[in-house]
Amino acid sequence: MNKLTQGVVLLLFGGAILRASVTDLYLRYVKEGLRPFLIATGVLLVAAALMTIWYSFRETPSDSGEHGHEHEHHGPGVGWLLILPVLGLLLVAPPALGSYAANQAGSVVAEPVGGSDYPPLPAGDPVELSLVDYASRALFDAGKSLDGRELSLTGFITTAPDGAPMLARMVLSCCAADGRPIKIGLDGRTPIDVPADTWVQLTGVYTARTIKDPVNNVDVAYFEVRTWQEIPEPKQPYA
């Protein structure tokens, strides 16, 4: 590749990153808090690309004449493959990790908060909780802060080893490549005949039942469902 071509490819890379960052597309790849870093990276790449293109046009014939033949032959054509991930980012919106990824990995271990007591839930029912928060309170606080409250959980449907529906959501440490599921078993009026990957919002109450995840043998909390409804996939699919 000559300098002009390198600059164009770099410009496409930076533009693709900026496009993903200023829309919700970046949420398919990384955590929400990384957006400022992506924007800064995209701006730097675009700036470097524009400088490269500018220098390629400023280059005089005498600068390149001595090595003209070398420039004509350029580098290996495989360099053009760099354009493929750019096109993929520009043209294809990948689906969020779902039930297949959840079934292949063990549930994350919900960590207890500092101290022995969990803070009380906000007033008003139902209280909307993340799956991680619910699992942590159910497993490490014996449900004391959950008992007697109507709760609301949101996630996608996946399948337990026995074929029963479970609720799950992928948890990211940094990006989708390190995503792991948090899984919640379901009792009561569970969603029936709902395809895997369907997003649902459940209301119900705490139940003390737990099972072991057969993938990594960690405890999985249960939730007693009273009502449920299908919902669109949220803008931020990851926890």
Side-chain angles (χ1 to χ4, degrees), residues 28 95-105 131 153-160 164-172 179-186 191 194-202 228-234 236-239:
R28 303 283 183 171
L97 297 175
S99 62
Y100 178 80
N103 289 338
Q104 303 304 307
L131 300 196
L153 304 181
T154 299
F156 59 82
I157 295 296
T158 188
T159 306
M166 298 183 77
L167 192 68
R169 198 153 185 171
M170 300 302 291
V171 179
L172 304 188
R180 290 185 59 197
I182 178 73
K183 305 174 189 178
I184 303 292
L186 302 177
V194 175
D197 293 314
T198 301
W199 281 83
V200 294
Q201 185 174 50
L202 311 178
W228 64 274
Q229 62 177 342
E230 291 188 27
I231 61 170
E233 181 181 299
Q236 170 54 285
Y238 301 125

Side-chain angles (χ1 to χ4, degrees), residues 180-237:
R180 290 185 59 197
I182 178 73
K183 305 174 189 178
I184 303 292
L186 302 177
D187 274 335
R189 299 177 179 176
T190 60
I192 300 174
D193 298 328
V194 175
D197 293 314
T198 301
W199 281 83
V200 294
Q201 185 174 50
L202 311 178
T203 58
V205 294
Y206 161 76
T207 177
R209 181 183 174 190
T210 63
I211 59 168
K212 292 287 187 181
D213 190 323
V215 180
N216 61 348
N217 203 41
V218 304
D219 288 325
V220 173
Y222 262 72
F223 182 71
E224 185 174 336
V225 182
R226 291 184 173 172
T227 64
W228 64 274
Q229 62 177 342
E230 291 188 27
I231 61 170
E233 181 181 299
K235 181 184 75 171
Q236 170 54 285

Side-chain angles (χ1 to χ4, degrees), residues 1-13 49 52-53 56-57 71 74-77 79-80 82-83:
M1 288 186 180
N2 59 25
K3 285 185 179 180
L4 177 59
T5 306
Q6 291 171 1
V8 170
V9 172
L10 198 59
L11 183 63
L12 288 174
F13 264 114
T52 301
I53 293 171
S56 75
F57 282 116
H71 288 174
H74 311 310
W80 283 104
L82 291 171
I83 206 71

Side-chain angles (χ1 to χ4, degrees), residues 95-179:
L97 297 175
S99 62
Y100 178 80
N103 289 338
Q104 303 304 307
S107 186
V108 297
V109 180
E111 297 291 343
V113 298
S116 57
D117 296 324
Y118 280 69
L121 297 178
D125 286 342
V127 180
E128 187 170 346
L129 290 178
S130 70
L131 300 196
V132 174
D133 193 12
Y134 175 82
S136 182
R137 290 171 182 265
L139 296 173
F140 296 102
D141 194 37
K144 288 186 292 186
S145 59
L146 303 172
D147 223 6
R149 300 297 304 273
E150 186 178 19
L151 309 169
S152 175
L153 304 181
T154 299
F156 59 82
I157 295 296
T158 188
T159 306
D162 62 0
M166 298 183 77
L167 192 68
R169 198 153 185 171
M170 300 302 291
V171 179
L172 304 188
S173 298
C174 173
C175 60
D178 59 35

